């Protein structure tokens, strides 16, 4: 659970250094987000969507993936559908996919216009999935109800540094975080004690497997 107020203030100060106080995951706490349990093992190109109607926080969960995995859908409790239905019928759209040439700016002026008025967009994956100028335009038009992001397409020169006393030349980011209905965490949503422990364990396990000549499921090459 992150300190939202702290992050919100630091966004406006462009203070993106890593905070000294780590947060904790909701998972395994009193509230359990079981829908996220398999995310690390199934990091594929999809949009996960939440509708306001049924359980799982009272929601009906649907998802898009170029090559659906029926077993995963059955196990976790959601259904795969078309990208058109995902965009046009959802109250909340949450992105969970790597950035590829094919999905660059998959959320753009055209897709935002097709979405339901007042819907919420969440991006904790890659900044390049979203056309930030189009998001700003949709927020100004009061079509997009709110935007929550941990990533930004041009984040390289800014993140993990303290720019509180600097003149920020990125007018797009300045405008984005000025909206009261935008939550922006500066690529720090992962920063929990559990996540850092899991990262360290995974790295050490991969090194051990490589030395033993074992197959590494997470290997990219």
């Amino acid at each position: 659970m992150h300190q939202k107020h702290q992050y919100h203030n630091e966004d406006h100060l462009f203070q993106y250094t890593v905070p000294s106080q780590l947060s904790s995951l909701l998972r395994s706490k009193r509230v359990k987000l079981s829908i996220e349990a398999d995310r690390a093992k199934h990091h594929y190109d999809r949009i996960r969507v939440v509708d306001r109607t049924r359980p799982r926080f009272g929601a009906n969960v649907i998802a898009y993936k170029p090559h659906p995995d029926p077993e995963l859908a059955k196990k976790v409790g959601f259904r795969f559908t078309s990208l058109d239905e995902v965009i046009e019928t959802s109250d909340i759209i949450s992105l969970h996919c790597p950035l590829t040439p094919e999905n660059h700016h998959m959320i753009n002026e055209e897709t935002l216009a097709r979405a339901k008025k007042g819907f919420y967009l969440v991006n904790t994956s890659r900044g390049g999935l979203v056309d930030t100028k189009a998001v700003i335009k949709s927020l100004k038009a009061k079509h997009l109800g709110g935007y929550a992001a941990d990533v930004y397409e041009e984040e390289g020169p800014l993140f993990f540094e303290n720019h509180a006393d600097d003149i920020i030349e990125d007018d797009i980011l300045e405008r984005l975080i000025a909206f009261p209905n935008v939550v922006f965490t500066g690529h720090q949503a992962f920063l929990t004690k559990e996540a850092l422990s899991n990262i360290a364990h995974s790295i050490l396990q991969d090194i051990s497997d490589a030395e033993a000549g074992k197959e590494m499921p997470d290997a990219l090459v």
Side-chain angles (χ1 to χ4, degrees):
M1 292 169 281
H2 283 290
Q3 305 294 323
K4 176 185 176 295
H5 181 70
Q6 172 189 345
Y7 281 120
H8 186 70
N9 287 341
E10 289 179 352
D11 288 338
H12 287 272
L13 292 173
F14 287 90
Q15 215 292 53
Y16 292 130
T17 53
V18 176
S20 58
Q21 183 177 1
L22 297 179
S23 303
S24 296
L25 291 178
L26 280 173
R27 188 174 33 174
S28 79
K29 303 301 189 295
R30 187 173 295 273
V31 177
K32 184 174 182 180
L33 299 179
S34 57
I35 188 63
E36 295 294 333
D38 287 333
R39 183 180 172 193
K41 297 180 181 178
H42 300 275
H43 189 62
Y44 41 49
D45 187 2
R46 69 188 184 277
I47 300 179
R48 181 176 293 149
V49 183
V50 183
D51 186 275
R52 294 179 187 163
T53 54
R54 290 193 332 199
R56 191 105 48 200
F57 286 117
N60 172 37
V61 180
I62 60 176
Y64 166 75
K65 178 177 182 285
H67 305 287
D69 183 346
E71 288 301 317
L72 175 65
K74 182 179 180 180
K75 177 182 178 182
V76 178
F78 65 91
R79 69 178 177 88
F80 284 109
T81 186
S82 67
L83 182 58
D84 286 339
E85 182 181 353
V86 160
I87 291 172
E88 295 170 5
T89 68
S90 302
D91 296 292
I92 301 171
I93 298 179
S94 183
L95 306 178
H96 300 265
C97 44
L99 178 63
T100 67
E102 292 74 23
N103 64 20
H104 179 253
H105 285 184
M106 65 188 301
I107 300 299
N108 52 51
E109 190 168 342
E110 185 268 334
T111 51
L112 287 166
R114 288 167 51 204
K116 293 174 67 174
K117 180 178 175 60
F119 86 102
Y120 293 91
L121 176 63
V122 180
N123 184 14
T124 59
S125 294
R126 293 292 181 264
L129 296 170
V130 173
D131 181 347
T132 309
K133 290 182 179 179
V135 164
I136 291 172
K137 183 177 180 180
S138 188
L139 287 165
K140 290 177 71 175
K142 297 181 175 62
H143 183 78
L144 176 58
Y147 182 47
D150 186 54
V151 290
Y152 174 62
E153 188 167 14
E154 304 299 330
E155 66 187 45
L158 291 171
F159 287 7
F160 306 112
E161 301 287 344
N162 184 356
H163 297 282
D165 297 322
D166 298 342
I167 296 175
I168 303 302
E169 298 181 2
D170 192 328
D171 294 338
I172 296 173
L173 182 59
E174 286 262 29
R175 182 64 185 96
L176 178 68
I177 65 175
F179 286 99
N181 52 345
V182 168
V183 176
F184 191 68
T185 53
H187 220 133
Q188 294 177 10
F190 81 98
L191 199 62
T192 65
K193 292 173 285 188
E194 295 87 347
L196 293 178
S197 176
N198 290 339
I199 290 170
H201 181 271
S202 178
I203 292 172
L204 292 173
Q205 185 64 54
D206 285 345
I207 293 173
S208 178
D209 289 345
E211 290 179 340
K214 296 180 180 179
E215 180 180 353
M216 293 183 291
D218 299 330
L220 298 178
V221 293

